[in-house]
Amino acid sequence: DVKVTQSSRYLVKRTGEKVFLECVQDMDHENMFWYRQDPGLGLRLIYFSYDVKMKEKGDIPEGYSVSREKKERFSLILESASTNQTSMYLCASIPTGSSYEQYFGPGTRLTVT
Amino acid sequence: LAKTTQPISMDSYEGQEVNITCSHNNIATNDYITWYQQFPSQGPRFIIQGYKTKVTNEVASLFIPADRKSSTLSLPRVSLSDTAVYYCLVGGTIYNQGGKLIFGQGTELSVKP
């Protein structure tokens, strides 16, 4: 089974802190994604990556950056956390050529106070 | 990417068949139709995918009419554990759609005893 893991299930940070959310997949997938999920808004794509060191902005990249130094690891960085970034963050991966069967991690619920 | 419209919520009872219809009037020729399931505090999980006519797996069936402007997810004999949010998405392969999935608000299915 494909496994996508995220570094934390719950995280509490203070406003202004730099926050790192890590995602690791064990199936050699080329493509990885970061979403945030908020009540009433569904899942929204923040960033995605086709390959190591490659990244593309999604629909809501403002306030976030990403890093993909190794194929299996995709990190989401909040440079200076703000309260409006309190959300559930979900990571996903998919092999190249697949028709959208993405595999999701369990999510990280981030609270910024 | 084609936008999808589905009911916000549905109620059912254990043992009943549940049909959730999704409208996607602007579906493109290369687009697949994919359904995901999400339980509280978990990431979405792939259920089924199809292009046309009918697809069946061990979990669900997907009915797609000839014009492909809608699709229906059918869950046979639901149980309490099928209570979840169900998302309908349309899109092509990772190559020609930039890897972007658009998750709508989904349909919150509540199964009662």
Side-chain angles (χ1 to χ4, degrees):
Chain A
D1 274 352
V2 175
K3 196 168 184 183
V4 180
T5 57
Q6 295 183 228
S7 50
S8 305
R9 290 301 305 271
Y10 300 94
L11 207 54
V12 180
K13 295 292 181 180
R14 294 182 184 268
T15 301
E17 278 193 82
K18 191 169 186 176
V19 182
F20 293 86
L21 302 182
E22 300 260 303
C23 174
V24 178
Q25 50 94 3
D26 66 359
M27 283 301 291
D28 205 35
H29 288 172
E30 293 83 2
N31 311 287
M32 297 185 74
F33 306 82
W34 275 106
Y35 297 87
R36 64 177 282 178
Q37 185 171 30
D38 302 286
L41 296 176
L43 279 83
R44 293 179 291 167
L45 181 64
I46 305 172
Y47 267 98
F48 58 103
S49 169
Y50 289 129
D51 203 347
V52 175
K53 297 192 185 297
M54 295 183 68
K55 59 185 179 183
E56 296 281 342
K57 292 181 180 179
D59 297 317
I60 51 164
E62 296 79 20
Y64 303 95
S65 62
V66 290
S67 172
R68 184 111 182 257
E69 296 296 319
K70 293 185 178 181
K71 192 175 186 179
E72 68 271 17
R73 189 180 298 268
F74 192 34
S75 301
L76 180 70
I77 304 157
L78 287 65
E79 296 290 342
S80 177
S82 63
T83 55
N84 63 13
Q85 292 179 309
T86 291
S87 185
M88 169 69 87
Y89 290 88
L90 290 155
C91 173
S93 73
I94 187 172
T96 296
S98 173
S99 33
Y100 282 101
E101 185 176 341
Q102 290 197 4
Y103 297 88
F104 282 82
T108 295
R109 184 164 294 282
L110 172 67
T111 301
V112 183
T113 61
Chain B
L1 295 172
K3 184 180 175 182
T4 60
T5 302
Q6 48 185 126
I8 292 176
S9 63
M10 293 181 70
D11 291 331
S12 182
Y13 291 93
E14 281 191 292
Q16 287 186 335
E17 178 185 77
V18 171
N19 296 308
I20 306 174
T21 297
C22 179
S23 171
H24 29 79
N25 291 320
N26 297 321
I27 190 168
T29 303
N30 292 334
D31 285 344
Y32 288 82
I33 299 159
T34 309
W35 286 80
Y36 283 80
Q37 174 192 56
Q38 186 178 25
F39 297 112
S41 300
Q42 294 186 24
R45 182 177 72 106
F46 172 87
I47 302 175
I48 197 166
Q49 184 178 78
Y51 184 79
K52 61 181 178 180
T53 62
K54 177 184 174 182
V55 179
T56 297
N57 62 22
E58 64 278 6
V59 176
S61 295
L62 179 59
F63 298 91
I64 305 168
D67 67 5
R68 304 201 326 124
K69 293 184 184 297
S70 66
S71 58
T72 298
L73 175 73
S74 181
L75 304 172
R77 297 179 297 281
V78 294
S79 64
L80 296 176
S81 62
D82 292 315
T83 294
V85 179
Y86 293 83
Y87 295 96
C88 163
L89 301 91
V90 296
T93 69
I94 197 78
Y95 289 121
N96 62 15
Q97 293 287 349
K100 292 177 68 171
L101 286 179
I102 297 179
F103 283 81
Q105 293 197 26
T107 297
E108 188 169 357
L109 173 66
S110 177
V111 180
K112 301 174 182 177

Coordinates of all heavy atoms in Angstrom, one line a residue, chain A residues 23-105:
Chain A
C23 N 6.1 16.2 4.7 CA 5.4 15.1 4.1 C 6.3 14.1 3.4 O 7.2 14.6 2.7 CB 4.4 15.7 3.0 SG 3.5 14.4 2.1
V24 N 6.1 12.8 3.7 CA 7.0 11.8 3.1 C 6.1 10.7 2.5 O 5.2 10.3 3.1 CB 7.9 11.2 4.1 CG1 8.8 10.1 3.5 CG2 8.8 12.3 4.7
Q25 N 6.4 10.3 1.2 CA 5.7 9.2 0.6 C 6.8 8.1 0.2 O 7.9 8.4 -0.1 CB 4.9 9.7 -0.6 CG 5.7 10.5 -1.6 CD 6.3 9.8 -2.7 OE1 6.2 8.6 -2.9 NE2 7.0 10.5 -3.6
D26 N 6.3 6.9 0.3 CA 7.2 5.8 0.1 C 7.1 5.0 -1.1 O 7.5 3.9 -1.3 CB 7.1 4.8 1.4 CG 5.8 4.1 1.4 OD1 4.9 4.4 0.6 OD2 5.6 3.3 2.4
M27 N 6.4 5.6 -2.1 CA 6.1 4.8 -3.4 C 6.8 5.4 -4.6 O 6.4 5.2 -5.7 CB 4.6 4.7 -3.6 CG 3.9 3.7 -2.7 SD 4.6 2.0 -2.9 CE 4.0 1.6 -4.6
D28 N 7.8 6.2 -4.4 CA 8.6 6.8 -5.5 C 7.7 7.6 -6.5 O 8.0 7.6 -7.7 CB 9.2 5.6 -6.3 CG 10.5 6.0 -7.0 OD1 11.2 6.9 -6.5 OD2 10.7 5.5 -8.1
H29 N 6.7 8.3 -6.0 CA 5.8 9.1 -6.8 C 6.6 10.4 -7.2 O 7.2 11.0 -6.3 CB 4.5 9.4 -6.1 CG 3.6 8.3 -6.0 ND1 2.5 8.4 -5.2 CD2 3.6 7.1 -6.5 CE1 1.8 7.2 -5.3 NE2 2.5 6.4 -6.1
E30 N 6.4 10.8 -8.4 CA 7.1 12.0 -8.9 C 6.3 13.3 -8.4 O 6.9 14.3 -8.2 CB 7.1 12.1 -10.4 CG 8.0 11.0 -11.0 CD 7.3 9.7 -11.2 OE1 6.1 9.5 -10.8 OE2 7.9 8.7 -11.7
N31 N 5.0 13.2 -8.3 CA 4.2 14.4 -8.0 C 3.7 14.4 -6.6 O 3.1 13.5 -6.1 CB 3.0 14.4 -9.0 CG 3.5 14.1 -10.4 OD1 4.1 14.9 -11.1 ND2 3.3 12.9 -10.9
M32 N 3.8 15.6 -6.0 CA 3.4 15.8 -4.6 C 2.7 17.1 -4.5 O 3.0 18.0 -5.2 CB 4.5 15.7 -3.6 CG 5.2 14.3 -3.6 SD 6.5 14.1 -2.4 CE 5.5 13.9 -0.9
F33 N 1.7 17.2 -3.5 CA 0.8 18.3 -3.4 C 0.6 18.7 -2.0 O 0.6 17.8 -1.1 CB -0.6 18.0 -4.0 CG -0.5 17.4 -5.4 CD1 -0.2 16.1 -5.7 CD2 -0.8 18.3 -6.5 CE1 -0.2 15.6 -7.0 CE2 -0.8 17.8 -7.8 CZ -0.5 16.5 -8.0
W34 N 0.4 20.0 -1.8 CA 0.0 20.5 -0.5 C -1.4 21.2 -0.6 O -1.5 22.1 -1.5 CB 1.0 21.4 0.2 CG 2.0 20.8 0.9 CD1 3.3 20.6 0.6 CD2 1.9 20.2 2.2 NE1 4.0 19.9 1.5 CE2 3.2 19.7 2.6 CE3 0.9 20.0 3.1 CZ2 3.4 19.0 3.8 CZ3 1.1 19.4 4.3 CH2 2.4 18.9 4.6
Y35 N -2.4 20.8 0.2 CA -3.7 21.4 0.3 C -3.9 22.0 1.7 O -3.4 21.4 2.6 CB -4.8 20.4 0.0 CG -4.8 19.8 -1.4 CD1 -4.0 18.6 -1.6 CD2 -5.6 20.3 -2.4 CE1 -4.1 18.0 -2.9 CE2 -5.6 19.7 -3.7 CZ -4.8 18.5 -3.9 OH -4.9 17.9 -5.1
R36 N -4.8 22.9 1.8 CA -5.4 23.2 3.0 C -6.9 23.0 2.9 O -7.5 23.2 1.9 CB -5.1 24.6 3.5 CG -5.6 25.8 2.7 CD -5.2 27.1 3.4 NE -6.1 27.4 4.5 CZ -5.9 28.5 5.3 NH1 -4.9 29.4 5.0 NH2 -6.7 28.8 6.3
Q37 N -7.5 22.6 4.1 CA -8.9 22.4 4.1 C -9.6 23.2 5.2 O -9.2 23.1 6.4 CB -9.2 20.9 4.3 CG -10.7 20.5 4.2 CD -10.9 19.0 4.2 OE1 -10.2 18.3 4.8 NE2 -12.0 18.6 3.5
D38 N -10.6 24.0 4.9 CA -11.3 24.8 5.8 C -12.8 24.6 5.7 O -13.3 24.3 4.5 CB -11.0 26.3 5.6 CG -9.5 26.5 5.7 OD1 -9.0 26.5 6.8 OD2 -8.8 26.7 4.6
P39 N -13.5 24.6 6.8 CA -15.0 24.4 6.7 C -15.6 25.3 5.7 O -15.4 26.5 5.7 CB -15.4 24.7 8.1 CG -14.2 24.5 9.0 CD -13.0 24.9 8.1
G40 N -16.5 24.7 4.8 CA -17.2 25.5 3.9 C -16.4 25.9 2.6 O -17.0 26.4 1.7
L41 N -15.1 25.6 2.6 CA -14.3 26.0 1.5 C -13.7 24.7 0.8 O -13.0 24.9 -0.3 CB -13.1 26.9 1.9 CG -13.6 28.3 2.4 CD1 -12.4 29.0 2.9 CD2 -14.3 29.1 1.4
G42 N -13.9 23.6 1.3 CA -13.3 22.4 0.7 C -11.8 22.4 0.8 O -11.2 23.0 1.6
L43 N -11.2 21.6 -0.1 CA -9.7 21.5 -0.2 C -9.2 22.5 -1.3 O -9.8 22.6 -2.4 CB -9.3 20.1 -0.6 CG -9.2 19.1 0.4 CD1 -10.6 18.5 0.7 CD2 -8.2 18.0 0.0
R44 N -8.2 23.3 -0.9 CA -7.6 24.2 -1.9 C -6.2 23.9 -2.0 O -5.5 23.7 -1.0 CB -7.9 25.7 -1.4 CG -9.4 26.1 -1.4 CD -9.5 27.5 -0.8 NE -9.2 27.6 0.6 CZ -9.1 28.7 1.2 NH1 -9.2 29.9 0.6 NH2 -8.8 28.7 2.5
L45 N -5.7 24.0 -3.3 CA -4.3 23.6 -3.6 C -3.4 24.8 -3.3 O -3.6 25.9 -3.8 CB -4.2 23.2 -5.0 CG -2.8 22.7 -5.5 CD1 -2.4 21.5 -4.8 CD2 -2.9 22.5 -7.0
I46 N -2.3 24.5 -2.5 CA -1.4 25.6 -2.2 C -0.2 25.6 -3.1 O 0.1 26.5 -3.8 CB -0.9 25.4 -0.7 CG1 -2.0 25.4 0.3 CG2 0.1 26.5 -0.3 CD1 -1.6 25.0 1.7
Y47 N 0.5 24.4 -3.2 CA 1.6 24.2 -4.1 C 1.7 22.8 -4.5 O 1.1 21.9 -3.8 CB 2.9 24.5 -3.4 CG 3.5 25.9 -3.5 CD1 3.2 26.9 -2.5 CD2 4.3 26.3 -4.6 CE1 3.8 28.1 -2.6 CE2 4.8 27.6 -4.7 CZ 4.5 28.5 -3.7 OH 5.0 29.8 -3.8
F48 N 2.3 22.5 -5.7 CA 2.6 21.1 -6.0 C 4.0 21.1 -6.7 O 4.5 22.1 -7.1 CB 1.5 20.5 -6.9 CG 1.2 21.3 -8.2 CD1 1.6 20.8 -9.4 CD2 0.4 22.4 -8.2 CE1 1.4 21.5 -10.6 CE2 0.1 23.1 -9.4 CZ 0.6 22.6 -10.6
S49 N 4.4 19.8 -6.8 CA 5.8 19.6 -7.4 C 5.8 18.4 -8.3 O 5.3 17.3 -7.9 CB 6.8 19.4 -6.2 OG 8.0 18.9 -6.7
Y50 N 6.4 18.6 -9.5 CA 6.4 17.4 -10.4 C 7.7 16.6 -10.2 O 7.7 15.5 -10.7 CB 6.5 18.0 -11.9 CG 5.3 18.6 -12.4 CD1 5.3 19.8 -13.0 CD2 4.1 17.9 -12.3 CE1 4.1 20.4 -13.5 CE2 2.9 18.4 -12.8 CZ 2.9 19.7 -13.4 OH 1.8 20.2 -13.9
D51 N 8.7 17.2 -9.6 CA 10.0 16.5 -9.5 C 10.8 17.2 -8.5 O 10.5 18.3 -8.0 CB 10.6 16.4 -10.9 CG 11.6 15.3 -11.0 OD1 12.0 14.6 -10.0 OD2 12.1 15.0 -12.1
V52 N 11.9 16.5 -8.2 CA 12.8 17.2 -7.2 C 13.2 18.6 -7.7 O 13.5 18.8 -8.8 CB 14.1 16.3 -7.1 CG1 15.1 16.9 -6.2 CG2 13.7 14.9 -6.5
K53 N 13.2 19.5 -6.7 CA 13.6 20.9 -6.9 C 12.6 21.6 -7.9 O 12.9 22.8 -8.2 CB 15.0 21.0 -7.5 CG 16.1 20.5 -6.5 CD 17.5 20.9 -6.9 CE 18.5 20.2 -5.9 NZ 18.3 20.7 -4.5
M54 N 11.5 21.0 -8.3 CA 10.5 21.7 -9.1 C 9.3 22.0 -8.2 O 8.9 21.2 -7.4 CB 10.1 20.9 -10.3 CG 11.3 20.6 -11.3 SD 10.8 19.7 -12.7 CE 9.7 20.9 -13.5
K55 N 8.7 23.2 -8.5 CA 7.5 23.5 -7.7 C 6.6 24.4 -8.6 O 7.1 25.1 -9.5 CB 7.9 24.2 -6.4 CG 8.7 25.5 -6.6 CD 9.1 26.1 -5.3 CE 9.9 27.4 -5.5 NZ 10.4 28.0 -4.3
E56 N 5.3 24.3 -8.4 CA 4.4 25.1 -9.1 C 3.4 25.7 -8.1 O 3.0 25.0 -7.1 CB 3.6 24.3 -10.1 CG 4.4 23.7 -11.2 CD 4.8 24.7 -12.3 OE1 4.1 25.8 -12.3 OE2 5.7 24.5 -13.1
K57 N 3.0 26.9 -8.3 CA 2.0 27.5 -7.4 C 0.6 26.9 -7.7 O 0.2 26.7 -8.8 CB 1.9 29.0 -7.6 CG 3.2 29.7 -7.1 CD 3.0 31.2 -7.3 CE 4.3 31.9 -6.8 NZ 4.2 33.4 -7.0
G58 N -0.1 26.7 -6.6 CA -1.5 26.3 -6.7 C -2.4 27.5 -6.7 O -2.1 28.6 -7.2
D59 N -3.6 27.4 -6.1 CA -4.6 28.4 -6.1 C -4.4 29.5 -5.0 O -4.7 30.6 -5.1 CB -6.0 27.9 -6.0 CG -6.3 27.0 -7.2 OD1 -6.0 27.4 -8.3 OD2 -6.9 25.9 -7.0
I60 N -3.7 29.1 -3.9 CA -3.6 30.0 -2.8 C -2.1 29.9 -2.2 O -1.9 29.6 -1.1 CB -4.6 29.7 -1.7 CG1 -4.6 28.2 -1.3 CG2 -6.0 30.1 -2.1 CD1 -5.3 27.9 0.0
P61 N -1.1 30.3 -3.0 CA 0.3 30.2 -2.5 C 0.7 31.3 -1.6 O 1.8 31.1 -0.9 CB 1.0 30.2 -3.8 CG 0.2 31.1 -4.7 CD -1.2 30.8 -4.3
E62 N 0.0 32.3 -1.5 CA 0.4 33.5 -0.7 C 0.7 33.1 0.8 O -0.2 32.5 1.4 CB -0.6 34.6 -0.8 CG -0.8 35.2 -2.2 CD -1.7 34.3 -3.1 OE1 -2.4 33.5 -2.5 OE2 -1.6 34.4 -4.3
G63 N 1.8 33.5 1.3 CA 2.2 33.2 2.7 C 2.8 31.9 2.9 O 3.2 31.5 4.0
Y64 N 3.0 31.1 1.8 CA 3.6 29.8 1.9 C 4.8 29.6 0.9 O 4.8 30.3 -0.1 CB 2.6 28.7 1.5 CG 1.3 28.7 2.3 CD1 0.2 29.4 1.9 CD2 1.3 28.0 3.5 CE1 -1.0 29.4 2.6 CE2 0.1 28.0 4.3 CZ -1.0 28.7 3.8 OH -2.2 28.7 4.6
S65 N 5.7 28.7 1.2 CA 6.7 28.3 0.3 C 6.9 26.8 0.4 O 6.3 26.2 1.4 CB 8.0 29.0 0.5 OG 8.5 28.8 1.8
V66 N 7.6 26.2 -0.5 CA 7.8 24.7 -0.4 C 9.2 24.4 -0.7 O 10.0 25.2 -1.3 CB 6.8 24.0 -1.4 CG1 5.4 24.1 -0.9 CG2 7.0 24.5 -2.8
S67 N 9.6 23.2 -0.4 CA 10.9 22.7 -0.7 C 10.8 21.2 -1.0 O 10.1 20.4 -0.4 CB 11.8 22.8 0.5 OG 13.0 22.2 0.4
R68 N 11.5 20.8 -2.1 CA 11.5 19.4 -2.6 C 12.9 19.1 -2.9 O 13.3 19.1 -4.1 CB 10.6 19.2 -3.8 CG 10.5 17.7 -4.2 CD 9.2 17.1 -3.9 NE 9.1 15.7 -4.2 CZ 8.4 15.3 -5.3 NH1 7.9 16.1 -6.2 NH2 8.4 14.0 -5.5
E69 N 13.7 18.7 -1.9 CA 15.1 18.3 -2.1 C 15.3 16.9 -2.5 O 16.3 16.5 -3.1 CB 15.9 18.7 -0.9 CG 16.0 20.2 -0.6 CD 16.6 21.0 -1.7 OE1 17.7 20.5 -2.2 OE2 16.1 22.1 -2.1
K70 N 14.4 16.0 -2.0 CA 14.4 14.6 -2.3 C 13.1 14.2 -2.8 O 12.0 14.8 -2.5 CB 14.8 13.8 -1.0 CG 16.2 14.0 -0.5 CD 16.4 13.1 0.7 CE 17.9 13.3 1.2 NZ 18.2 12.4 2.3
K71 N 13.1 13.2 -3.6 CA 11.8 12.8 -4.3 C 10.7 12.4 -3.3 O 9.6 12.7 -3.5 CB 12.2 11.6 -5.2 CG 11.0 11.2 -6.2 CD 11.5 10.1 -7.1 CE 10.5 9.8 -8.2 NZ 10.9 8.8 -9.1
E72 N 11.1 11.8 -2.2 CA 10.1 11.3 -1.3 C 9.6 12.3 -0.3 O 8.6 12.1 0.4 CB 10.6 10.1 -0.5 CG 11.8 10.4 0.5 CD 13.1 10.4 -0.2 OE1 13.2 10.4 -1.4 OE2 14.1 10.3 0.6
R73 N 10.2 13.5 -0.3 CA 9.9 14.5 0.8 C 9.5 15.8 0.2 O 10.2 16.4 -0.7 CB 11.1 14.6 1.7 CG 10.8 15.5 2.9 CD 12.1 15.5 3.7 NE 12.6 14.2 4.2 CZ 12.3 13.7 5.3 NH1 11.5 14.3 6.2 NH2 12.7 12.4 5.6
F74 N 8.3 16.4 0.7 CA 7.8 17.6 0.2 C 7.5 18.5 1.4 O 6.6 18.1 2.2 CB 6.6 17.4 -0.7 CG 6.2 18.6 -1.5 CD1 7.1 19.6 -2.0 CD2 4.8 18.8 -1.8 CE1 6.6 20.6 -2.7 CE2 4.4 19.8 -2.6 CZ 5.3 20.8 -3.0
S75 N 8.1 19.6 1.6 CA 7.9 20.4 2.8 C 7.1 21.7 2.5 O 7.4 22.3 1.5 CB 9.3 20.8 3.4 OG 10.0 19.6 3.8
L76 N 6.2 22.0 3.4 CA 5.5 23.2 3.3 C 6.0 24.2 4.4 O 6.1 23.8 5.5 CB 4.0 23.0 3.4 CG 3.1 24.2 3.4 CD1 3.0 24.8 1.9 CD2 1.7 23.9 3.8
I77 N 6.3 25.4 4.0 CA 6.9 26.3 4.9 C 6.0 27.6 5.1 O 5.6 28.2 4.0 CB 8.3 26.8 4.5 CG1 9.2 25.5 4.3 CG2 8.9 27.7 5.5 CD1 10.3 25.7 3.3
L78 N 5.7 27.9 6.3 CA 5.0 29.1 6.6 C 6.0 30.1 7.1 O 6.5 29.9 8.2 CB 3.8 28.9 7.6 CG 2.6 28.2 7.2 CD1 2.8 26.8 6.8 CD2 1.5 28.3 8.2
E79 N 6.4 31.1 6.3 CA 7.5 31.9 6.6 C 7.3 32.7 7.9 O 8.2 32.9 8.7 CB 7.8 32.9 5.5 CG 8.3 32.2 4.2 CD 9.7 31.6 4.3 OE1 10.4 32.0 5.2 OE2 10.0 30.7 3.5
S80 N 6.1 33.2 8.1 CA 5.7 34.0 9.3 C 4.2 33.7 9.5 O 3.4 34.3 9.0 CB 5.9 35.4 9.1 OG 5.5 36.2 10.2
A81 N 4.0 32.7 10.4 CA 2.6 32.2 10.6 C 1.7 33.3 11.0 O 2.0 34.2 11.9 CB 2.6 31.1 11.6
S82 N 0.5 33.2 10.5 CA -0.6 34.2 10.9 C -1.8 33.4 11.3 O -2.0 32.2 10.9 CB -0.9 35.1 9.8 OG -1.4 34.4 8.7
T83 N -2.7 34.0 12.0 CA -3.9 33.3 12.5 C -4.8 32.8 11.4 O -5.4 31.8 11.5 CB -4.7 34.2 13.5 OG1 -5.0 35.4 12.8 CG2 -3.9 34.5 14.7
N84 N -4.8 33.5 10.3 CA -5.6 33.0 9.1 C -5.0 31.8 8.4 O -5.6 31.3 7.5 CB -5.9 34.2 8.1 CG -4.7 34.7 7.5 OD1 -3.6 34.1 7.5 ND2 -4.8 35.8 6.8
Q85 N -3.9 31.3 8.9 CA -3.3 30.1 8.4 C -3.7 28.9 9.3 O -3.2 27.8 9.1 CB -1.8 30.2 8.2 CG -1.5 31.2 7.1 CD 0.0 31.4 6.9 OE1 0.8 31.6 7.9 NE2 0.5 31.2 5.7
T86 N -4.5 29.2 10.3 CA -5.0 28.1 11.1 C -5.9 27.2 10.2 O -6.8 27.7 9.6 CB -5.8 28.6 12.3 OG1 -4.9 29.2 13.2 CG2 -6.6 27.5 13.0
S87 N -5.5 25.9 10.1 CA -6.3 25.1 9.1 C -5.8 23.6 9.2 O -4.9 23.3 10.0 CB -6.0 25.6 7.7 OG -6.7 24.9 6.7
M88 N -6.5 22.8 8.5 CA -6.0 21.4 8.3 C -5.2 21.4 7.0 O -5.7 21.8 5.9 CB -7.2 20.4 8.1 CG -6.8 19.1 7.7 SD -5.9 18.1 8.9 CE -7.3 17.5 9.9
Y89 N -4.0 20.9 7.1 CA -3.1 20.8 5.9 C -2.9 19.3 5.5 O -2.6 18.5 6.3 CB -1.7 21.4 6.2 CG -1.8 22.9 6.4 CD1 -2.1 23.5 7.6 CD2 -1.7 23.7 5.3 CE1 -2.2 24.9 7.7 CE2 -1.8 25.1 5.4 CZ -2.1 25.7 6.6 OH -2.2 27.0 6.8
L90 N -3.1 19.1 4.2 CA -3.1 17.8 3.7 C -2.1 17.7 2.6 O -2.0 18.5 1.7 CB -4.5 17.4 3.1 CG -5.6 17.2 4.2 CD1 -6.9 17.4 3.6 CD2 -5.5 15.8 4.8
C91 N -1.3 16.6 2.6 CA -0.3 16.3 1.6 C -0.8 15.1 0.8 O -1.5 14.2 1.3 CB 1.0 16.0 2.3 SG 2.3 15.4 1.2
A92 N -0.5 15.1 -0.5 CA -0.9 14.0 -1.4 C 0.2 13.7 -2.4 O 1.1 14.6 -2.7 CB -2.2 14.4 -2.1
S93 N 0.2 12.5 -2.9 CA 1.2 12.2 -4.0 C 0.5 11.3 -5.0 O -0.6 10.7 -4.8 CB 2.4 11.5 -3.4 OG 2.1 10.1 -3.1
I94 N 1.1 11.3 -6.2 CA 0.5 10.6 -7.3 C 1.6 10.3 -8.3 O 2.5 11.1 -8.5 CB -0.6 11.4 -8.0 CG1 -1.4 10.6 -9.1 CG2 -0.1 12.7 -8.6 CD1 -2.6 11.3 -9.6
P95 N 1.6 9.1 -8.9 CA 2.6 8.8 -9.9 C 2.4 9.5 -11.2 O 1.2 9.7 -11.6 CB 2.5 7.3 -10.1 CG 1.2 6.9 -9.7 CD 0.8 7.9 -8.6
T96 N 3.4 9.8 -12.0 CA 3.2 10.4 -13.3 C 2.4 9.5 -14.2 O 2.7 8.3 -14.2 CB 4.6 10.7 -13.9 OG1 5.2 11.7 -13.1 CG2 4.5 11.3 -15.3
G97 N 1.5 10.1 -15.0 CA 0.7 9.3 -15.9 C -0.6 8.7 -15.3 O -1.4 8.2 -16.0
S98 N -0.7 8.9 -14.0 CA -2.0 8.4 -13.4 C -3.1 9.4 -13.6 O -2.8 10.6 -13.7 CB -1.7 8.2 -11.9 OG -3.0 8.0 -11.2
S99 N -4.3 8.9 -13.8 CA -5.4 9.8 -14.0 C -6.1 10.2 -12.7 O -7.2 9.9 -12.5 CB -6.4 9.2 -15.0 OG -6.4 7.8 -14.8
Y100 N -5.3 10.9 -11.9 CA -5.8 11.5 -10.7 C -6.2 10.7 -9.5 O -7.0 11.1 -8.7 CB -7.0 12.4 -11.1 CG -6.5 13.7 -11.7 CD1 -6.6 13.9 -13.1 CD2 -6.0 14.7 -10.9 CE1 -6.1 15.0 -13.7 CE2 -5.5 15.9 -11.5 CZ -5.6 16.0 -12.9 OH -5.1 17.1 -13.4
E101 N -5.6 9.5 -9.3 CA -5.8 8.8 -8.1 C -4.7 9.2 -7.1 O -3.6 8.6 -7.0 CB -5.6 7.3 -8.4 CG -5.9 6.5 -7.1 CD -5.9 5.0 -7.4 OE1 -6.0 4.6 -8.6 OE2 -5.8 4.2 -6.4
Q102 N -5.0 10.3 -6.4 CA -4.0 10.9 -5.5 C -4.2 10.1 -4.1 O -5.2 9.7 -3.7 CB -4.3 12.4 -5.3 CG -3.9 13.2 -6.4 CD -3.8 14.7 -6.1 OE1 -3.9 15.1 -4.9 NE2 -3.5 15.5 -7.1
Y103 N -3.0 10.0 -3.5 CA -2.9 9.3 -2.2 C -2.7 10.4 -1.2 O -1.7 11.1 -1.3 CB -1.9 8.3 -2.2 CG -2.1 7.1 -3.1 CD1 -1.7 7.2 -4.4 CD2 -2.8 6.0 -2.7 CE1 -1.9 6.2 -5.3 CE2 -3.1 5.0 -3.6 CZ -2.6 5.1 -4.9 OH -2.9 4.0 -5.8
F104 N -3.5 10.5 -0.2 CA -3.4 11.6 0.8 C -2.8 11.1 2.2 O -3.0 9.9 2.6 CB -4.8 12.1 1.1 CG -5.3 13.1 0.1 CD1 -5.9 12.6 -1.1 CD2 -5.1 14.5 0.2 CE1 -6.3 13.5 -2.1 CE2 -5.6 15.3 -0.7 CZ -6.2 14.8 -1.9
G105 N -2.1 12.0 2.8 CA -1.7 11.7 4.2 C -2.8 12.0 5.1 O -3.9 12.4 4.8

